Amino acid sequence: MSAYGLGPLPGTSVPEAADVILSETGDLPHVPDLPARGLGSDQVGRTAVLLEAVTVDRGPRSWIMTGRPQLLTRRTRDRLNRDLDELEEAWGTTVPDLKIQVTGPWTLSAGIELANGHRVITDHGALRDLTDALVEGVNAHIADLSTRFHTNVTVQIDEPLLGEISE
């Protein structure tokens, strides 16, 4: 029987979360989501760091697209790499199956603004670019995880704002 890790975990420690996940979730462990760790650890920030050729930073109201990587983007990418290193130490290099959760393109585009203050979801070209960057970034992340853990990766795409967007 498989158990699925849905939603964020309390705390800020990746090794502790890794221990709980491996002991409690059965056959399908997942990369932990720890939003209590601060800026960049929310759903949009964790997925935005995976984007290829599109960078975002925290603006006054929400995430905002930027022309080049900012300090927060670099910190969030570094945090993801350190998290994966810590998971590799905790779980070893062979995990038969692994699940990742990413925010889908609709929620992501509703949570990121363009430089002019409009949401990405309102601009068809920006939405297409964001979606393409998301697909490329998730594929690169899957390849990295497959190499690190010798695993089959399952991707869960979360769209928590889909109901609001479609109204």
Coordinates of all heavy atoms in Angstrom, one line a residue, residues 43-129:
Q43 N 4.4 27.7 -1.7 CA 4.2 26.9 -2.9 C 4.7 27.6 -4.2 O 5.4 26.9 -5.0 CB 2.7 26.7 -3.1 CG 2.0 25.7 -2.3 CD 0.6 25.5 -2.7 OE1 -0.1 26.5 -3.0 NE2 0.1 24.3 -2.7
V44 N 4.4 28.8 -4.4 CA 4.9 29.5 -5.6 C 6.4 29.7 -5.6 O 7.0 29.4 -6.6 CB 4.2 30.9 -5.7 CG1 4.8 31.7 -6.8 CG2 2.7 30.8 -5.9
G45 N 7.0 30.0 -4.5 CA 8.5 30.2 -4.4 C 9.2 28.9 -4.7 O 10.2 28.9 -5.4
R46 N 8.7 27.8 -4.1 CA 9.4 26.5 -4.3 C 9.3 26.0 -5.8 O 10.2 25.4 -6.3 CB 8.7 25.4 -3.4 CG 9.2 25.5 -2.0 CD 8.6 24.5 -1.1 NE 8.8 23.1 -1.6 CZ 9.9 22.4 -1.3 NH1 10.9 23.0 -0.6 NH2 10.1 21.2 -1.7
T47 N 8.2 26.3 -6.4 CA 8.1 25.9 -7.8 C 8.8 26.9 -8.8 O 9.4 26.5 -9.7 CB 6.6 25.8 -8.2 OG1 6.0 24.8 -7.4 CG2 6.4 25.4 -9.7
A48 N 8.7 28.2 -8.4 CA 9.3 29.2 -9.3 C 10.8 29.0 -9.4 O 11.4 29.4 -10.4 CB 9.0 30.6 -8.7
V49 N 11.5 28.5 -8.3 CA 12.9 28.2 -8.4 C 13.3 27.2 -9.4 O 14.4 27.1 -9.9 CB 13.4 27.8 -7.0 CG1 13.1 26.4 -6.6 CG2 14.9 28.0 -6.9
L50 N 12.3 26.4 -9.9 CA 12.6 25.3 -10.9 C 12.5 25.9 -12.3 O 12.9 25.2 -13.2 CB 11.5 24.2 -10.8 CG 11.5 23.4 -9.4 CD1 10.4 22.4 -9.5 CD2 12.8 22.8 -9.2
L51 N 11.9 27.1 -12.5 CA 11.7 27.6 -13.8 C 13.0 27.8 -14.5 O 14.0 28.3 -14.0 CB 11.0 29.0 -13.7 CG 9.6 28.9 -13.1 CD1 9.1 30.4 -12.9 CD2 8.6 28.1 -13.9
E52 N 13.0 27.4 -15.8 CA 14.2 27.6 -16.7 C 14.0 28.9 -17.5 O 13.0 29.1 -18.1 CB 14.3 26.4 -17.7 CG 14.7 25.1 -17.0 CD 16.1 25.1 -16.6 OE1 17.0 25.7 -17.3 OE2 16.4 24.5 -15.6
A53 N 15.0 29.8 -17.4 CA 15.0 31.0 -18.2 C 14.0 32.0 -17.8 O 13.8 33.0 -18.5 CB 14.9 30.7 -19.7
V54 N 13.3 31.8 -16.7 CA 12.4 32.8 -16.1 C 12.8 32.9 -14.7 O 12.9 31.9 -14.0 CB 10.9 32.4 -16.3 CG1 10.0 33.3 -15.5 CG2 10.5 32.3 -17.7
T55 N 13.0 34.2 -14.2 CA 13.4 34.4 -12.8 C 12.3 35.2 -12.1 O 11.7 36.1 -12.8 CB 14.7 35.0 -12.7 OG1 14.8 36.3 -13.4 CG2 15.8 34.1 -13.2
V56 N 12.1 35.0 -10.9 CA 11.2 35.8 -10.1 C 11.8 36.2 -8.8 O 12.8 35.7 -8.4 CB 9.9 35.0 -9.7 CG1 9.2 34.5 -11.0 CG2 10.2 33.7 -8.9
D57 N 11.3 37.3 -8.2 CA 11.7 37.8 -6.9 C 10.5 38.2 -6.1 O 9.4 38.3 -6.7 CB 12.7 39.0 -7.1 CG 13.5 39.3 -5.9 OD1 13.6 38.4 -5.0 OD2 14.0 40.4 -5.8
R58 N 10.6 38.4 -4.9 CA 9.5 38.8 -4.1 C 9.3 40.3 -4.2 O 10.2 41.1 -4.0 CB 9.8 38.4 -2.6 CG 8.6 38.6 -1.7 CD 7.5 37.6 -2.1 NE 6.3 37.9 -1.3 CZ 5.2 37.4 -1.5 NH1 5.0 36.6 -2.4 NH2 4.2 37.8 -0.8
G59 N 8.1 40.7 -4.7 CA 7.8 42.1 -4.8 C 7.0 42.6 -3.6 O 6.8 41.8 -2.7
P60 N 6.5 43.8 -3.7 CA 5.7 44.3 -2.5 C 4.4 43.6 -2.2 O 4.0 43.5 -1.1 CB 5.5 45.8 -2.9 CG 5.8 45.9 -4.4 CD 6.7 44.8 -4.7
R61 N 3.8 43.1 -3.3 CA 2.5 42.4 -3.1 C 2.6 40.9 -3.3 O 1.8 40.1 -2.7 CB 1.4 43.0 -4.0 CG 1.1 44.4 -3.8 CD 0.1 44.8 -4.8 NE 0.7 44.7 -6.1 CZ 0.3 45.3 -7.2 NH1 -0.7 46.1 -7.1 NH2 0.9 45.2 -8.3
S62 N 3.4 40.5 -4.2 CA 3.5 39.1 -4.5 C 4.8 38.8 -5.2 O 5.7 39.7 -5.2 CB 2.3 38.7 -5.5 OG 2.5 39.4 -6.7
W63 N 5.0 37.6 -5.8 CA 6.1 37.3 -6.6 C 6.1 38.1 -7.8 O 5.0 38.4 -8.4 CB 6.2 35.8 -6.9 CG 6.5 35.0 -5.6 CD1 5.5 34.4 -4.8 CD2 7.7 34.8 -5.1 NE1 6.1 33.8 -3.8 CE2 7.5 34.0 -3.9 CE3 9.0 35.1 -5.4 CZ2 8.5 33.6 -3.1 CZ3 10.1 34.7 -4.6 CH2 9.8 33.9 -3.4
I64 N 7.2 38.5 -8.4 CA 7.3 39.3 -9.6 C 8.4 38.8 -10.5 O 9.4 38.4 -10.1 CB 7.5 40.8 -9.2 CG1 7.3 41.7 -10.4 CG2 8.8 41.0 -8.5 CD1 7.2 43.2 -10.1
M65 N 8.1 38.8 -11.8 CA 9.1 38.4 -12.8 C 10.2 39.4 -12.9 O 10.0 40.6 -12.8 CB 8.5 38.2 -14.2 CG 7.8 37.0 -14.4 SD 7.4 36.8 -16.2 CE 7.0 35.1 -16.3
T66 N 11.4 38.9 -13.0 CA 12.6 39.8 -13.1 C 13.4 39.5 -14.3 O 13.3 38.4 -14.8 CB 13.5 39.7 -11.8 OG1 13.9 38.4 -11.7 CG2 12.7 40.2 -10.6
G67 N 14.3 40.4 -14.7 CA 15.1 40.2 -15.9 C 16.2 39.2 -15.7 O 16.7 38.5 -16.6
R68 N 16.7 39.1 -14.5 CA 17.8 38.2 -14.2 C 17.7 37.7 -12.7 O 17.0 38.3 -11.9 CB 19.1 38.8 -14.4 CG 19.4 40.1 -13.7 CD 20.6 40.8 -14.3 NE 20.6 42.1 -13.8 CZ 21.5 42.6 -13.0 NH1 22.5 41.8 -12.6 NH2 21.5 43.8 -12.5
P69 N 18.4 36.6 -12.4 CA 18.3 36.1 -11.0 C 18.6 37.1 -9.9 O 19.6 37.8 -10.1 CB 19.2 34.9 -11.0 CG 19.4 34.5 -12.4 CD 19.3 35.8 -13.2
Q70 N 17.8 37.2 -8.9 CA 18.1 38.1 -7.8 C 18.6 37.3 -6.6 O 18.7 36.0 -6.7 CB 16.8 38.8 -7.4 CG 16.1 39.6 -8.5 CD 17.0 40.7 -9.0 OE1 17.5 41.5 -8.2 NE2 17.2 40.8 -10.3
L71 N 18.9 37.9 -5.6 CA 19.5 37.3 -4.4 C 18.6 36.2 -3.9 O 19.0 35.1 -3.5 CB 19.8 38.3 -3.3 CG 20.5 37.8 -2.0 CD1 21.8 37.0 -2.3 CD2 20.7 38.9 -1.0
L72 N 17.3 36.5 -3.8 CA 16.3 35.5 -3.2 C 16.3 34.3 -4.1 O 16.2 33.2 -3.6 CB 14.9 36.1 -3.1 CG 13.9 35.2 -2.6 CD1 14.2 34.7 -1.2 CD2 12.5 35.9 -2.5
T73 N 16.3 34.5 -5.4 CA 16.3 33.4 -6.4 C 17.5 32.5 -6.1 O 17.4 31.2 -6.1 CB 16.3 33.9 -7.8 OG1 15.2 34.8 -8.0 CG2 16.1 32.7 -8.8
R74 N 18.7 33.1 -6.0 CA 19.9 32.3 -5.8 C 19.8 31.5 -4.5 O 20.2 30.4 -4.4 CB 21.1 33.2 -5.9 CG 21.4 33.6 -7.3 CD 22.7 34.3 -7.5 NE 22.9 35.5 -6.7 CZ 22.5 36.7 -7.1 NH1 22.0 36.9 -8.2 NH2 22.7 37.8 -6.3
R75 N 19.3 32.2 -3.4 CA 19.2 31.6 -2.1 C 18.3 30.4 -2.1 O 18.5 29.4 -1.5 CB 18.8 32.6 -1.1 CG 19.8 33.5 -0.6 CD 19.3 34.4 0.5 NE 20.3 35.4 0.9 CZ 20.1 36.4 1.6 NH1 18.8 36.7 2.0 NH2 21.1 37.2 2.0
T76 N 17.1 30.6 -2.8 CA 16.1 29.5 -2.9 C 16.7 28.3 -3.7 O 16.4 27.2 -3.3 CB 14.8 30.1 -3.5 OG1 14.4 31.2 -2.8 CG2 13.7 29.0 -3.4
R77 N 17.4 28.6 -4.7 CA 18.0 27.5 -5.5 C 19.0 26.8 -4.7 O 19.1 25.5 -4.7 CB 18.6 28.0 -6.8 CG 17.6 28.3 -7.9 CD 18.3 28.6 -9.2 NE 17.2 28.9 -10.1 CZ 17.2 29.8 -11.1 NH1 18.3 30.6 -11.2 NH2 16.2 30.0 -11.9
D78 N 19.8 27.5 -3.9 CA 20.8 26.9 -3.1 C 20.2 26.1 -2.0 O 20.6 25.0 -1.7 CB 21.7 28.0 -2.4 CG 22.7 28.6 -3.4 OD1 22.9 28.1 -4.5 OD2 23.2 29.7 -3.0
R79 N 19.1 26.6 -1.4 CA 18.3 25.8 -0.4 C 17.8 24.5 -1.0 O 17.9 23.5 -0.3 CB 17.2 26.7 0.2 CG 16.4 25.9 1.3 CD 15.2 26.7 1.7 NE 15.5 28.0 2.3 CZ 14.7 29.0 2.4 NH1 13.4 28.8 2.0 NH2 15.0 30.1 2.9
L80 N 17.3 24.6 -2.2 CA 16.8 23.3 -2.8 C 17.9 22.3 -2.9 O 17.8 21.1 -2.6 CB 16.1 23.6 -4.1 CG 15.7 22.4 -4.9 CD1 14.6 21.6 -4.2 CD2 15.1 22.8 -6.3
N81 N 19.1 22.8 -3.4 CA 20.2 21.9 -3.6 C 20.7 21.3 -2.3 O 21.0 20.1 -2.2 CB 21.3 22.5 -4.3 CG 21.0 22.7 -5.8 OD1 20.3 21.9 -6.4 ND2 21.5 23.8 -6.4
R82 N 20.7 22.1 -1.2 CA 21.1 21.6 0.1 C 20.1 20.7 0.6 O 20.5 19.6 1.2 CB 21.3 22.8 1.1 CG 22.6 23.6 0.9 CD 22.8 24.5 2.1 NE 21.7 25.3 2.5 CZ 21.4 26.5 2.0 NH1 22.1 27.1 1.1 NH2 20.3 27.1 2.5
D83 N 18.8 20.9 0.4 CA 17.8 20.0 0.8 C 17.9 18.7 0.2 O 17.8 17.6 0.8 CB 16.4 20.6 0.5 CG 16.0 21.8 1.3 OD1 16.7 22.1 2.3 OD2 14.9 22.3 1.0
L84 N 18.2 18.6 -1.1 CA 18.4 17.4 -1.8 C 19.6 16.7 -1.3 O 19.7 15.4 -1.2 CB 18.4 17.6 -3.3 CG 17.1 18.1 -3.9 CD1 17.3 18.4 -5.4 CD2 16.0 17.2 -3.7
D85 N 20.7 17.4 -1.0 CA 21.9 16.8 -0.4 C 21.6 16.2 0.9 O 22.0 15.0 1.2 CB 23.0 17.8 -0.2 CG 23.6 18.3 -1.5 OD1 23.4 17.7 -2.6 OD2 24.3 19.4 -1.5
E86 N 20.8 16.8 1.8 CA 20.4 16.3 3.1 C 19.5 15.1 2.9 O 19.6 14.1 3.7 CB 19.7 17.4 3.9 CG 20.7 18.4 4.4 CD 20.0 19.5 5.2 OE1 18.8 19.5 5.4 OE2 20.7 20.4 5.7
L87 N 18.6 15.1 1.9 CA 17.8 13.9 1.7 C 18.6 12.7 1.2 O 18.4 11.6 1.6 CB 16.7 14.2 0.6 CG 15.6 15.1 1.1 CD1 14.7 15.5 -0.1 CD2 14.8 14.5 2.2
E88 N 19.6 13.0 0.4 CA 20.5 12.0 -0.1 C 21.3 11.4 1.1 O 21.5 10.1 1.2 CB 21.5 12.6 -1.1 CG 22.1 11.6 -2.0 CD 22.9 12.2 -3.1 OE1 22.9 13.5 -3.3 OE2 23.6 11.5 -3.8
E89 N 21.7 12.2 2.1 CA 22.4 11.7 3.3 C 21.4 10.8 4.1 O 21.8 9.8 4.6 CB 22.9 12.8 4.1 CG 24.1 13.5 3.5 CD 24.6 14.7 4.4 OE1 24.3 14.7 5.6 OE2 25.2 15.6 3.8
A90 N 20.2 11.3 4.2 CA 19.2 10.6 5.1 C 18.7 9.3 4.4 O 18.5 8.3 5.1 CB 18.1 11.5 5.4
W91 N 18.5 9.3 3.1 CA 17.8 8.2 2.5 C 18.8 7.3 1.7 O 18.4 6.2 1.2 CB 16.7 8.7 1.5 CG 15.6 9.4 2.1 CD1 15.2 9.3 3.5 CD2 14.6 10.2 1.5 NE1 14.1 10.0 3.7 CE2 13.7 10.6 2.5 CE3 14.4 10.6 0.2 CZ2 12.6 11.4 2.2 CZ3 13.3 11.4 -0.1 CH2 12.4 11.8 0.9
G92 N 20.0 7.8 1.4 CA 20.9 7.1 0.6 C 20.7 7.4 -0.9 O 19.9 8.3 -1.2
T93 N 21.3 6.7 -1.7 CA 21.2 7.0 -3.2 C 20.3 6.1 -3.9 O 20.2 6.2 -5.2 CB 22.6 7.0 -3.8 OG1 23.2 5.7 -3.6 CG2 23.5 8.1 -3.3
T94 N 19.6 5.3 -3.2 CA 18.6 4.4 -3.9 C 17.2 4.5 -3.2 O 17.1 4.0 -2.1 CB 19.1 2.9 -3.9 OG1 20.4 2.9 -4.6 CG2 18.1 2.1 -4.7
V95 N 16.3 5.2 -3.9 CA 14.9 5.3 -3.4 C 14.1 4.8 -4.6 O 14.1 5.5 -5.6 CB 14.6 6.7 -3.0 CG1 13.1 6.8 -2.6 CG2 15.5 7.2 -1.9
P96 N 13.5 3.7 -4.6 CA 12.8 3.1 -5.8 C 11.8 4.1 -6.4 O 11.8 4.3 -7.6 CB 12.1 1.9 -5.3 CG 12.9 1.5 -4.1 CD 13.4 2.8 -3.4
D97 N 11.0 4.7 -5.6 CA 10.0 5.7 -6.1 C 10.0 6.9 -5.3 O 10.2 6.9 -4.1 CB 8.6 5.1 -6.1 CG 8.5 3.9 -7.1 OD1 8.7 4.1 -8.3 OD2 8.3 2.7 -6.6
L98 N 9.8 8.1 -5.9 CA 9.9 9.4 -5.2 C 8.8 10.3 -5.8 O 8.7 10.3 -7.1 CB 11.3 10.0 -5.3 CG 11.5 11.3 -4.6 CD1 11.4 11.1 -3.1 CD2 12.9 11.8 -4.9
K99 N 8.1 11.0 -5.0 CA 7.1 12.0 -5.5 C 7.6 13.4 -5.2 O 8.1 13.7 -4.2 CB 5.8 11.7 -4.8 CG 4.7 12.6 -5.3 CD 3.4 12.3 -4.6 CE 3.3 12.9 -3.2 NZ 3.0 14.3 -3.1
I100 N 7.3 14.3 -6.2 CA 7.5 15.7 -6.0 C 6.2 16.4 -6.2 O 5.3 15.9 -7.0 CB 8.6 16.3 -6.9 CG1 8.3 16.1 -8.4 CG2 10.0 15.7 -6.6 CD1 9.2 16.9 -9.3
Q101 N 6.0 17.5 -5.5 CA 4.8 18.3 -5.7 C 5.3 19.7 -6.3 O 6.2 20.3 -5.8 CB 4.1 18.6 -4.4 CG 3.5 17.3 -3.8 CD 3.0 17.6 -2.4 OE1 3.2 16.8 -1.5 NE2 2.3 18.7 -2.2
V102 N 4.6 20.1 -7.4 CA 4.8 21.4 -7.9 C 3.5 22.1 -8.1 O 2.5 21.5 -8.3 CB 5.6 21.3 -9.3 CG1 7.0 20.7 -9.1 CG2 4.8 20.6 -10.3
T103 N 3.6 23.5 -8.1 CA 2.4 24.3 -8.3 C 2.2 24.3 -9.8 O 3.2 24.6 -10.6 CB 2.6 25.7 -7.8 OG1 2.9 25.6 -6.4 CG2 1.4 26.6 -8.0
G104 N 1.0 24.1 -10.3 CA 0.7 24.1 -11.7 C 0.7 25.5 -12.3 O 0.8 26.5 -11.6
P105 N 0.7 25.6 -13.6 CA 0.9 26.8 -14.4 C -0.2 27.9 -14.1 O 0.0 29.1 -14.1 CB 0.9 26.4 -15.8 CG 0.2 25.1 -15.9 CD 0.5 24.4 -14.6
W106 N -1.5 27.4 -13.8 CA -2.5 28.4 -13.6 C -2.3 29.1 -12.2 O -2.4 30.3 -12.1 CB -3.9 27.7 -13.6 CG -4.2 27.2 -15.0 CD1 -4.2 25.9 -15.4 CD2 -4.5 28.0 -16.1 NE1 -4.5 25.8 -16.7 CE2 -4.7 27.1 -17.2 CE3 -4.6 29.3 -16.4 CZ2 -5.1 27.5 -18.5 CZ3 -5.0 29.7 -17.7 CH2 -5.2 28.8 -18.7
T107 N -2.1 28.3 -11.2 CA -1.9 28.9 -9.9 C -0.6 29.7 -9.9 O -0.5 30.8 -9.3 CB -1.8 27.8 -8.8 OG1 -3.1 27.2 -8.8 CG2 -1.5 28.4 -7.4
L108 N 0.5 29.2 -10.5 CA 1.7 29.9 -10.6 C 1.6 31.2 -11.3 O 2.1 32.3 -10.8 CB 2.8 29.0 -11.3 CG 4.2 29.3 -11.1 CD1 4.7 29.2 -9.7 CD2 5.1 28.4 -12.0
S109 N 0.9 31.2 -12.4 CA 0.7 32.5 -13.1 C -0.2 33.5 -12.4 O -0.1 34.7 -12.6 CB 0.2 32.2 -14.5 OG -1.1 31.6 -14.5
A110 N -1.1 33.0 -11.6 CA -1.9 33.9 -10.8 C -1.2 34.4 -9.6 O -1.5 35.5 -9.0 CB -3.2 33.1 -10.3
G111 N -0.1 33.8 -9.2 CA 0.7 34.2 -8.0 C 1.9 35.0 -8.4 O 2.7 35.4 -7.5
I112 N 2.2 35.3 -9.7 CA 3.4 36.0 -10.1 C 2.9 37.2 -10.9 O 2.0 37.0 -11.8 CB 4.3 35.1 -10.9 CG1 4.8 33.9 -10.1 CG2 5.5 35.9 -11.4 CD1 5.7 32.9 -10.8
E113 N 3.5 38.3 -10.7 CA 3.2 39.6 -11.4 C 4.2 39.8 -12.5 O 5.4 39.5 -12.3 CB 3.1 40.8 -10.5 CG 1.9 40.7 -9.5 CD 1.9 42.0 -8.7 OE1 2.8 42.8 -8.8 OE2 0.9 42.1 -7.9
L114 N 3.8 40.5 -13.5 CA 4.8 41.1 -14.5 C 5.3 42.4 -13.9 O 4.8 42.9 -12.9 CB 4.1 41.4 -15.8 CG 3.5 40.2 -16.5 CD1 2.5 40.6 -17.6 CD2 4.6 39.3 -17.0
A115 N 6.3 43.0 -14.5 CA 6.9 44.2 -14.0 C 5.9 45.4 -14.0 O 6.0 46.3 -13.2 CB 8.1 44.6 -14.9
N116 N 4.9 45.3 -14.8 CA 3.9 46.4 -14.9 C 2.8 46.2 -13.8 O 1.9 47.0 -13.8 CB 3.3 46.5 -16.3 CG 2.5 45.3 -16.7 OD1 2.3 44.3 -15.9 ND2 2.1 45.2 -17.9
G117 N 2.9 45.2 -13.0 CA 1.9 45.0 -11.9 C 0.8 44.1 -12.2 O 0.0 43.7 -11.3
H118 N 0.6 43.7 -13.5 CA -0.4 42.7 -13.9 C 0.0 41.3 -13.6 O 1.2 41.0 -13.7 CB -0.8 42.9 -15.3 CG -1.4 44.2 -15.7 ND1 -2.7 44.5 -15.3 CD2 -0.9 45.3 -16.3 CE1 -2.9 45.8 -15.7 NE2 -1.8 46.3 -16.3
R119 N -0.9 40.5 -13.3 CA -0.6 39.0 -13.1 C -0.2 38.4 -14.4 O -0.8 38.7 -15.5 CB -1.8 38.3 -12.5 CG -2.3 38.9 -11.2 CD -1.5 38.4 -10.0 NE -1.9 38.9 -8.8 CZ -1.4 38.7 -7.7 NH1 -0.3 38.0 -7.6 NH2 -1.8 39.3 -6.6
V120 N 0.7 37.4 -14.3 CA 1.1 36.7 -15.6 C -0.1 36.1 -16.3 O -0.1 36.1 -17.5 CB 2.2 35.7 -15.2 CG1 2.5 34.8 -16.4 CG2 3.4 36.3 -14.7
I121 N -1.1 35.7 -15.5 CA -2.2 35.0 -16.1 C -3.0 35.9 -17.1 O -3.7 35.4 -17.9 CB -3.1 34.4 -15.0 CG1 -4.1 33.4 -15.6 CG2 -3.9 35.5 -14.3 CD1 -4.8 32.6 -14.5
T122 N -2.8 37.2 -17.0 CA -3.6 38.1 -17.8 C -2.9 38.3 -19.2 O -3.4 39.0 -20.1 CB -3.8 39.5 -17.1 OG1 -2.5 40.1 -16.9 CG2 -4.5 39.3 -15.8
D123 N -1.7 37.9 -19.3 CA -0.9 38.1 -20.6 C -0.6 36.7 -21.2 O 0.1 35.9 -20.6 CB 0.4 38.8 -20.2 CG 1.3 39.1 -21.4 OD1 1.5 38.2 -22.3 OD2 1.8 40.2 -21.5
H124 N -1.3 36.4 -22.3 CA -1.1 35.1 -23.0 C 0.3 34.7 -23.3 O 0.7 33.6 -23.1 CB -2.0 35.0 -24.2 CG -3.5 35.2 -24.0 ND1 -4.2 34.2 -23.3 CD2 -4.3 36.2 -24.3 CE1 -5.4 34.6 -23.2 NE2 -5.6 35.8 -23.8
G125 N 1.1 35.7 -23.8 CA 2.5 35.4 -24.1 C 3.3 35.1 -22.9 O 4.1 34.1 -22.8
A126 N 3.1 35.8 -21.8 CA 3.8 35.6 -20.6 C 3.4 34.2 -20.0 O 4.2 33.5 -19.4 CB 3.6 36.7 -19.6
L127 N 2.1 33.9 -20.0 CA 1.6 32.7 -19.5 C 2.2 31.5 -20.3 O 2.6 30.5 -19.7 CB 0.1 32.6 -19.6 CG -0.6 31.3 -19.2 CD1 -0.3 31.0 -17.8 CD2 -2.1 31.4 -19.4
R128 N 2.3 31.6 -21.6 CA 2.9 30.6 -22.4 C 4.4 30.4 -22.0 O 4.9 29.3 -21.9 CB 2.8 30.9 -23.9 CG 3.4 29.9 -24.8 CD 3.5 30.3 -26.3 NE 4.3 31.5 -26.4 CZ 3.9 32.7 -26.8 NH1 2.6 32.9 -27.1 NH2 4.7 33.7 -26.9
D129 N 5.1 31.5 -21.9 CA 6.5 31.5 -21.5 C 6.7 30.8 -20.1 O 7.6 30.0 -19.9 CB 7.2 32.9 -21.5 CG 7.3 33.4 -22.9 OD1 7.1 32.7 -23.9 OD2 7.5 34.7 -23.0

